[in-house]
Amino acid sequence: MEPTDMEKLMRAVLGRIFVPLEASGRHVHVTQQQALALFGHDLTPDRELSQPGQFLAKERLKVLGPKGEFEHVAVLGPARKEAQVEISLTDGKTLGIRPPVRLSGDVKDSPGCTLVGPRGRVQLSQGVICARRHIHLTPEEGRRFSVADKQVVKLETFTERPTIFEDVVVRISADFAGAVHLDYDEANACGFRNGDWGRIIP
Amino acid sequence: MEPTDMEKLMRAVLGRIFVPLEASGRHVHVTQQQALALFGHDLTPDRELSQPGQFLAKERLKVLGPKGEFEHVAVLGPARKEAQVEISLTDGKTLGIRPPVRLSGDVKDSPGCTLVGPRGRVQLSQGVICARRHIHLTPEEGRRFSVADKQVVKLETFTERPTIFEDVVVRISADFAGAVHLDYDEANACGFRNGDWGRIIP
């Protein structure tokens, strides 16, 4: 048996019990209009992400807050209807912004910031959030783990610093691939390394 | 009843069920000889810390790693028999050092770094660790929570992002005051704010 087949089999077996963990670094979503203002053109896909259709763009941005800034921040595509800047609470200290902990897309009355690209800058009046930890599952995986869309569960991590994260939201869609999304604070708090797994506790 | 009395009563009542959470930022312990080399004199107490006898020094240090540095890093006193630099895994990324997750004092074969003070610099061949999360308790508190010295427990945080930290080590001594010590990654992962509490799950 080829090692790649063995690897696929291992993942299939483990995937019946566990969900792969992923750490999301700070990143920005922009509208098509903002991409034009910042870069002079649409976002250019660099590589695919774990969620089908989502990509890391070749373009990078500077994110400016009242107290500090981050250079070369990742931009994810495709373009969205509204801009969103996802940072950790640690990042917030650096920028001088305390982002609310929210699900992606829920940016109402969140703080703003300034985005600086090679062709221009965009002032956001809102959109800076700290992503609430969540689990992407396909409908089949949802049935397997006996959880429903929007259900709040616990997640136990099998990591260097084992942790049970409470208040984790399950998101189910046929467009998803099974993965737990943690931010870097959470990833470091549990000692995450690439290839680590978690277990849903409904 | 005075508000301060009410506050004391509240803390006494809460302290029978919960343990106060504290976030420890990056800091350095040095020997007396190293203090002389770095500052030209012994450490000067600035303010007392929660653990009796421990103090934040007026002196600050630069910590240098292969990839980056931190300025104005806190130095804790009194002087120790061996230097120790406690950083988070996030800090480790900035410095270019991957610290092992260890209990304080366990620095054997850990990475080193360079300390720079106003009077000189000290090259550490080892001593950089990421503090393993732990709970300080008095013997009385240990009995109350039914836990023993060195026992490994879970700790549930009543915070903005509720979390159950597994693999938390209990340390019991008459010299301690009851407190959970988390690093900044852990504090941000659970959305800690000053005044938050945790519950020991033996």
Side-chain angles (χ1 to χ4, degrees):
Chain A
M1 193 186 277
E2 296 292 308
T4 51
D5 286 347
M6 179 62 98
E7 205 171 281
K8 280 179 196 164
L9 179 63
M10 284 287 291
R11 287 191 71 86
V13 170
L14 287 167
R16 299 205 161 267
I17 310 166
F18 305 109
V19 185
L21 304 179
E22 294 180 4
S24 302
R26 72 185 77 101
H27 64 267
V28 179
H29 300 275
V30 293
T31 66
Q32 192 176 24
Q33 197 175 15
Q34 288 165 344
L36 289 173
L38 292 161
F39 310 114
H41 53 76
D42 285 347
L43 296 177
T44 324
D46 183 9
R47 65 174 177 81
E48 290 188 356
L49 299 175
S50 69
Q51 296 310 307
Q54 304 294 302
F55 62 84
L56 173 69
K58 285 185 178 157
E59 291 76 20
R60 298 265 156 168
L61 281 175
K62 186 194 284 189
V63 174
L64 270 176
K67 279 202 186 166
E69 63 183 52
F70 289 111
E71 305 255 17
H72 309 298
V73 177
V75 180
L76 304 195
R80 289 197 178 184
K81 285 188 184 164
E82 189 168 11
Q84 182 169 298
V85 179
E86 296 181 44
I87 61 172
S88 70
L89 296 182
T90 297
D91 292 341
K93 286 275 179 193
T94 303
L95 293 175
I97 296 171
R98 170 95 193 185
V101 179
R102 300 267 189 90
L103 283 179
S104 183
D106 179 12
V107 296
K108 191 164 183 294
D109 298 329
S110 60
C113 70
T114 304
L115 304 178
V116 183
R119 285 292 181 87
R121 63 169 60 201
V122 167
Q123 179 63 45
L124 300 181
S125 61
Q126 63 178 29
V128 183
I129 65 168
C130 174
R132 189 170 164 198
R133 45 203 180 214
H134 57 278
I135 306 173
H136 292 278
L137 295 177
T138 63
E140 188 208 328
E141 290 166 332
R143 283 190 295 275
R144 189 190 306 155
F145 297 121
S146 305
V147 291
D149 188 41
K150 293 177 189 158
Q151 187 174 334
V152 175
V153 299
K154 291 189 177 72
L155 179 97
E156 182 172 21
T157 71
F158 295 91
T159 48
E160 186 186 6
R161 311 167 96 179
T163 300
I164 299 169
F165 290 111
E166 301 188 271
D167 199 26
V168 188
V169 184
V170 172
R171 306 303 303 267
I172 294 181
S173 164
D175 297 335
F176 290 161
V180 177
H181 282 189
L182 303 174
D183 71 16
Y184 271 48
D185 288 337
E186 295 163 334
N188 284 322
C190 74
F192 164 80
R193 295 187 194 223
N194 280 326
D196 282 341
W197 299 78
R199 189 174 68 91
I200 293 171
I201 306 173
Chain B
M1 192 183 280
E2 296 293 306
T4 52
D5 286 346
M6 179 61 97
E7 204 172 282
K8 281 180 195 164
L9 178 63
M10 282 287 292
R11 287 190 70 86
V13 170
L14 286 168
R16 298 204 163 269
I17 309 167
F18 305 109
V19 186
L21 304 180
E22 293 180 4
S24 303
R26 69 184 79 101
H27 64 267
V28 179
H29 300 276
V30 294
T31 66
Q32 192 176 23
Q33 197 176 16
Q34 288 165 343
L36 289 174
L38 292 161
F39 309 114
H41 53 78
D42 284 348
L43 296 177
T44 324
D46 183 13
R47 66 175 176 80
E48 290 189 355
L49 299 176
S50 70
Q51 297 310 306
Q54 303 295 300
F55 63 84
L56 174 69
K58 285 185 178 156
E59 291 76 20
R60 299 264 156 169
L61 280 175
K62 186 194 283 188
V63 174
L64 270 176
K67 278 201 187 168
E69 62 184 51
F70 289 110
E71 305 255 15
H72 310 298
V73 177
V75 181
L76 305 194
R80 290 197 177 184
K81 286 189 183 162
E82 188 167 12
Q84 183 168 297
V85 180
E86 295 181 43
I87 62 172
S88 69
L89 295 182
T90 297
D91 292 342
K93 286 274 180 193
T94 303
L95 294 175
I97 295 171
R98 169 98 194 183
V101 180
R102 299 267 188 91
L103 283 178
S104 184
D106 179 11
V107 296
K108 191 165 183 294
D109 298 330
S110 60
C113 70
T114 304
L115 305 178
V116 184
R119 286 293 180 88
R121 64 169 59 201
V122 167
Q123 178 64 42
L124 301 181
S125 60
Q126 63 178 31
V128 183
I129 63 168
C130 174
R132 192 171 162 196
R133 46 204 180 213
H134 57 280
I135 306 174
H136 293 277
L137 295 177
T138 63
E140 187 208 332
E141 290 167 331
R143 283 189 295 275
R144 188 189 306 152
F145 297 122
S146 306
V147 290
D149 188 41
K150 294 178 189 159
Q151 187 173 335
V152 175
V153 299
K154 291 188 176 74
L155 179 98
E156 182 171 21
T157 70
F158 294 92
T159 49
E160 185 186 7
R161 310 166 97 178
T163 300
I164 300 170
F165 291 111
E166 301 187 272
D167 199 27
V168 188
V169 183
V170 172
R171 306 304 303 267
I172 295 182
S173 164
D175 296 334
F176 290 160
V180 177
H181 281 190
L182 302 175
D183 71 17
Y184 271 49
D185 288 336
E186 294 162 336
N188 283 321
C190 74
F192 164 80
R193 295 187 195 224
N194 280 326
D196 282 340
W197 299 78
R199 188 174 68 90
I200 293 172
I201 306 173

